[in-house]
Amino acid sequence: MTVNRIRLEDPLADGRQSLTAQMVWRGTARLLRQMGFASVGELTLASGRRADLAALGPKGDLWIIEVKSSLADFRSDHKWPDYRDFCDRFFFASHAGVPQEVFPQEAGLILSDGYFAEILREAPEHRLAGARRKAVTLRFAQAAAHRLHDALDPDGRADLSGY
Amino acid sequence: MTVNRIRLEDPLADGRQSLTAQMVWRGTARLLRQMGFASVGELTLASGRRADLAALGPKGDLWIIEVKSSLADFRSDHKWPDYRDFCDRFFFASHAGVPQEVFPQEAGLILSDGYFAEILREAPEHRLAGARRKAVTLRFAQAAAHRLHDALDPDGRADLSGY
């Protein structure tokens, strides 16, 4: 019986990466908040890919930020340009332990110390068309509200899974 | 010194009302979720008024639901028509202890038993114009994401209040 087994691709690597990634995530999300952006982690896009961090600005601007916790993490990602189809600006976010020069000049770069973050390089803007913007915004809003709802009403979550 | 005092308009009434209101809210939010709508409570609108429950549908439909926990609660609300300017459909949500006939026919009516809910009367549709829809959706998304962020990073919340 494998139905109830916890699935981990690589438990050790995943665990270590997650802690660093979470620190980068935390500092980056705080920076975004200060800039007036709301953010949600792990937003699944229409392409099926998940954005590490999606941010929605005060005027509706959509940014996607990919968190890179290590050099290996960055090198294994060959699909980051695809994210541009779903945002107005694309950034990498990392920490001081990863050489900055590996990150492509065509993407923005955010450096986080785990507590806060700063934008080292602005990202070029490629404005989304109206229909795509509406779809990504809706996805963002639904994901954030559903997760909040699950947190506020965990019993409801169990009920709902039965429908 | 009154700075740190907890402010309650009417502690007893508020407490009793809140519990019932929360039960109505919970069942209603579960129903909405089953219908594919994400919901957030206490959404402040551009008018300054707060919607008890705002819901965002799978195609971007915006509903506002005012929770009425008692007859007095309903009778003290003279401004509910104003909510129509901010949604595609407007509903009241209540429970079996409040006579259904008091609720106006021009608004939808949801009956909750605290665990789930049903729509007793559909609400008429009055579609929002594009700019207003965009603004309310953005407000919804930002509120949900900010609250989720506060829950995930409570330390950040304290930090942010200092900026």
Side-chain angles (χ1 to χ4, degrees):
Chain A
M1 294 291 288
T2 58
V3 177
N4 290 321
R5 284 177 66 188
I6 294 169
R7 287 169 297 170
L8 286 175
E9 301 300 317
D10 181 346
L12 282 178
D14 189 71
R16 292 191 56 170
Q17 196 178 91
S18 288
L19 186 61
T20 307
Q22 278 171 31
M23 291 292 281
V24 175
W25 188 97
R26 185 174 75 173
T28 304
R30 289 178 181 179
L31 167 67
L32 291 165
R33 181 80 170 258
Q34 191 197 15
M35 296 171 72
F37 281 69
S39 55
V40 292
E42 299 291 342
L43 183 68
T44 302
L45 304 167
S47 63
R49 297 204 73 197
R50 283 197 294 180
D52 286 341
L53 199 50
L56 180 66
K59 293 182 179 172
D61 289 48
L62 285 160
W63 292 4
I64 287 178
I65 300 98
E66 281 300 288
V67 171
K68 294 299 169 194
S69 55
S70 69
L71 193 55
D73 187 17
F74 170 71
R75 286 191 170 147
S76 65
D77 181 358
H78 305 294
K79 295 192 173 174
W80 65 266
D82 297 349
Y83 286 116
R84 291 192 165 160
D85 295 339
F86 298 94
C87 62
D88 298 311
R89 294 182 195 266
F90 174 84
F91 296 81
F92 285 107
S94 193
H95 58 90
V98 179
Q100 292 170 23
E101 57 272 21
V102 304
F103 293 103
Q105 296 288 323
E106 316 91 89
L109 183 59
I110 293 170
L111 188 70
S112 171
D113 65 3
Y115 296 93
F116 206 67
E118 62 177 317
I119 294 179
L120 289 191
R121 183 169 54 241
E122 274 294 348
E125 191 178 43
H126 31 82
R127 303 289 296 172
L128 289 173
R132 176 62 64 85
R133 178 181 308 285
K134 184 182 168 185
V136 179
T137 303
L138 189 55
R139 226 168 236 278
F140 179 106
Q142 289 238 349
H146 282 333
R147 289 180 207 170
L148 186 66
H149 187 195
D150 287 345
L152 294 171
D153 184 13
D155 296 334
R157 186 180 189 173
D159 282 0
L160 289 162
S161 66
Y163 292 123
Chain B
M1 294 291 289
T2 57
V3 177
N4 290 321
R5 284 177 68 186
I6 294 170
R7 286 168 298 169
L8 285 176
E9 302 301 317
D10 181 347
L12 283 177
D14 188 72
R16 292 189 59 167
Q17 194 177 93
S18 289
L19 187 62
T20 307
Q22 278 171 31
M23 292 291 281
V24 174
W25 187 96
R26 186 174 74 173
T28 304
R30 288 178 181 178
L31 166 68
L32 290 165
R33 181 79 170 258
Q34 191 197 15
M35 297 172 72
F37 281 69
S39 56
V40 292
E42 299 291 342
L43 184 69
T44 302
L45 304 167
S47 64
R49 297 203 74 197
R50 283 197 294 181
D52 286 342
L53 199 51
L56 180 67
K59 292 181 179 174
D61 289 48
L62 284 160
W63 293 3
I64 287 178
I65 300 100
E66 280 300 288
V67 171
K68 294 299 168 194
S69 55
S70 68
L71 193 55
D73 187 16
F74 170 72
R75 287 190 170 148
S76 66
D77 181 358
H78 305 292
K79 296 193 173 173
W80 66 265
D82 297 350
Y83 286 117
R84 291 192 163 160
D85 294 339
F86 299 95
C87 62
D88 298 311
R89 293 181 196 266
F90 175 83
F91 295 81
F92 285 107
S94 194
H95 58 91
V98 180
Q100 292 170 24
E101 57 272 21
V102 303
F103 294 104
Q105 296 289 325
E106 317 90 88
L109 184 59
I110 293 170
L111 188 70
S112 171
D113 66 3
Y115 295 94
F116 205 67
E118 62 176 318
I119 293 179
L120 289 192
R121 181 169 56 242
E122 274 294 348
E125 190 177 45
H126 31 82
R127 304 287 297 171
L128 289 174
R132 176 61 64 86
R133 177 181 308 285
K134 186 183 167 184
V136 180
T137 303
L138 189 56
R139 223 167 239 278
F140 179 106
Q142 290 237 349
H146 282 333
R147 288 180 208 171
L148 186 66
H149 187 195
D150 286 344
L152 293 172
D153 183 14
D155 295 335
R157 187 179 189 175
D159 283 0
L160 289 162
S161 67
Y163 293 122

